[in-house]
Amino acid sequence: MTKKNLDWKNIGFQYHETDKRYIANYKDGSWGEGQLISDPNIVINESAGVLQYCQQVFEGLKAYTAKDGSIVTFRPDLNAERMVQSAKGLRIPPFPEERFLEAVDQVVEANQDWVPPYGTGASLYLRPYIFASTPVIGIKPATEYQFRLYSTPVGPYFKGGAKPITLTVSEYDRAAPKGTGHLKAGLNYAMSLNTTVKAHEDGFDENLFLDAATRSYIEESGGANIILITDDNKLVTPKSNSILPSITKRSIIYLAKNYLDLEVIERKVRFEELEDFTEAGLCGTAAVISPIGKVVNGQEEVEFSNGMNNVGPVIKKIYEILTKMQLGVIEAPEGWIRKIK
Ligand SMILES: *Cc1c(COP(=O)(O)O)cnc(C)c1O
């Protein structure tokens, strides 16, 4: 094994082509045998379902070099399971969960030279997805699909470490109450690009989306869930059918209850209530947890008590425990770490 010669600490969050990717094709009503291939390009028909009607679902997870030198992934079984749910929602044939895990193992093992070394803060990001590959022109599901899983080494999502970020309330909605917000699908991101670019142009880090029906409850950002901390040891997180069920958030809830003795409450949270919380964070695989310094809604500003310069003590603690578990520095709950090598 010879690690690739990359500047691991400065690779950023962008696509690097790695050696191998896994593919399996769905045809005649079943998933065929999978294989590792070298070609990063895909040739599909100009009228493929993914190109015309965005029939696609995806996942995102990471492989890490643990402290003892082994290569591990974090709760990939939950990604496998969530992808089944996402696929069902878009009439895509689900990829079997066991096979998803085998694909993860195979891709990581085949690209082990690309897994960043321990201590660099970087990891190998894995992107499994399924897309409709055969032509459609009338509006209907395609007949054939491809499951593909590629990998790319990534640095920390926010360069410069866990610095508090600023959110702005988006004037657009992310997800309808009975729409596709709870599914991990590219289509939810396509519609978020306009408002995300606008937020960045206006100097904000991310959008905060409100519930589409009443625009009075907070939901999540474009790609991460939100957690809120009170000064009397409660962790509150918004409850809504249009929020994507984050695996990072589910893990944080478990840690909050079992390691930090916080009371966890999932409920609807009104925008006006934000000022009652002392700390807030965005959570997702890409950044693990990003402390929120303030939220801006037009003329209105809510700044959390640790401000823009400090990370609050509870968020900091959660971040430390979770990242130490992912890197095998402290033991994780049973079944959370899948050792690959
Ligand atoms: C992927 C995603 C998240 C984060 O989920 P994790 O499983 O924690 O990575 C949150 N919100 C949206 C919209 C997402 O697509």
Side-chain angles (χ1 to χ4, degrees):
M1 182 170 97
T2 32
K3 287 284 175 199
K4 300 289 170 181
N5 189 16
L6 290 183
D7 180 9
W8 300 108
K9 288 190 169 148
N10 295 299
I11 45 180
F13 203 92
Q14 64 202 41
Y15 175 79
H16 282 268
E17 187 185 319
T18 55
D19 299 329
K20 298 286 179 190
R21 60 280 299 131
Y22 176 100
I23 64 163
N25 292 309
Y26 182 91
K27 195 177 171 169
D28 300 328
S30 68
W31 285 103
E33 218 171 292
Q35 57 172 323
L36 289 170
I37 61 164
S38 298
D39 190 352
N41 298 305
I42 301 171
V43 177
I44 46 174
N45 184 271
E46 61 192 352
S47 201
V50 64
L51 299 179
Q52 301 310 322
Y53 304 128
C54 299
Q55 209 189 357
Q56 180 258 24
V57 292
F58 72 99
E59 273 302 326
L61 66 159
K62 288 171 169 176
Y64 309 85
T65 304
K67 196 172 180 209
D68 67 359
S70 59
I71 299 177
V72 299
T73 50
F74 182 75
R75 310 190 80 180
D77 52 316
L78 298 185
N79 296 97
E81 182 194 314
R82 186 170 64 188
M83 194 182 220
V84 168
Q85 300 310 321
S86 299
K88 285 180 178 167
L90 296 186
R91 287 280 160 170
I92 291 172
F95 193 65
E97 292 173 43
E98 262 318 302
R99 293 197 54 192
F100 178 106
L101 295 174
E102 279 164 27
V104 166
D105 292 353
Q106 285 188 29
V107 168
V108 173
E109 185 152 4
N111 296 293
Q112 56 182 286
D113 296 346
W114 294 96
V115 182
Y118 175 77
T120 56
S123 53
L124 187 70
Y125 185 76
L126 305 174
R127 173 51 61 88
Y129 61 115
I130 309 174
F131 62 93
S133 53
T134 44
V136 290
I137 190 69
I139 299 177
K140 62 181 178 207
T143 53
E144 295 180 18
Y145 297 81
Q146 182 170 105
F147 170 89
R148 182 175 278 246
L149 197 166
Y150 70 83
S151 61
T152 182
V154 293
Y157 192 76
F158 292 105
K159 232 181 148 192
K163 231 175 114 256
I165 59 171
T166 304
L167 308 186
T168 181
V169 173
S170 174
E171 62 177 299
Y172 300 99
D173 299 319
R174 190 188 86 88
K178 297 193 178 192
T180 56
H182 61 302
L183 309 175
K184 207 165 177 75
L187 55 86
N188 287 328
Y189 280 76
M191 55 58 57
S192 77
L193 296 176
N194 186 24
T195 184
T196 299
V197 170
K198 195 164 169 298
H200 291 166
E201 283 170 356
D202 293 343
F204 302 107
D205 297 292
E206 294 288 341
N207 277 296
L208 174 62
F209 290 99
L210 302 179
D211 78 292
T214 69
R215 293 192 61 84
S216 49
Y217 299 99
I218 61 168
E219 297 237 302
E220 61 171 325
S221 76
N225 284 182
I226 188 164
I227 56 167
L228 302 155
I229 310 292
T230 66
D231 59 3
D232 59 349
N233 285 327
K234 295 191 177 83
L235 185 155
V236 177
T237 185
K239 191 179 171 82
S240 155
N241 292 334
S242 46
I243 292 177
L244 193 286
S246 158
I247 293 164
T248 313
K249 182 178 76 183
R250 284 181 262 168
S251 305
I252 288 172
I253 287 175
Y254 183 89
L255 298 182
K257 285 182 187 161
N258 295 285
Y259 288 71
L260 296 172
D261 221 14
L262 297 175
E263 185 187 341
V264 175
I265 304 161
E266 285 188 80
R267 61 165 173 87
K268 290 179 153 197
V269 179
R270 302 188 76 86
F271 180 81
E272 288 82 57
E273 285 181 67
L274 274 184
E275 61 186 21
D276 301 342
F277 295 95
T278 51
E279 296 179 47
L282 285 183
C283 53
T285 296
V288 185
I289 185 162
S290 315
I292 302 168
K294 67 178 172 187
V295 181
V296 178
N297 186 16
Q299 299 304 311
E300 218 179 325
E301 279 197 21
V302 181
E303 184 158 335
F304 296 101
S305 51
N306 291 281
M308 295 305 296
N309 295 313
N310 298 302
V311 181
V314 180
I315 298 273
K316 191 167 176 210
K317 191 94 204 159
I318 294 172
Y319 177 84
E320 279 174 8
I321 295 177
L322 192 52
T323 50
K324 281 180 180 165
M325 284 178 175
Q326 289 171 335
L327 297 174
V329 177
I330 58 177
E331 198 175 335
E334 176 89 44
W336 280 23
I337 300 295
R338 184 176 175 96
K339 186 170 165 175
I340 293 177
K341 243 196 119 60

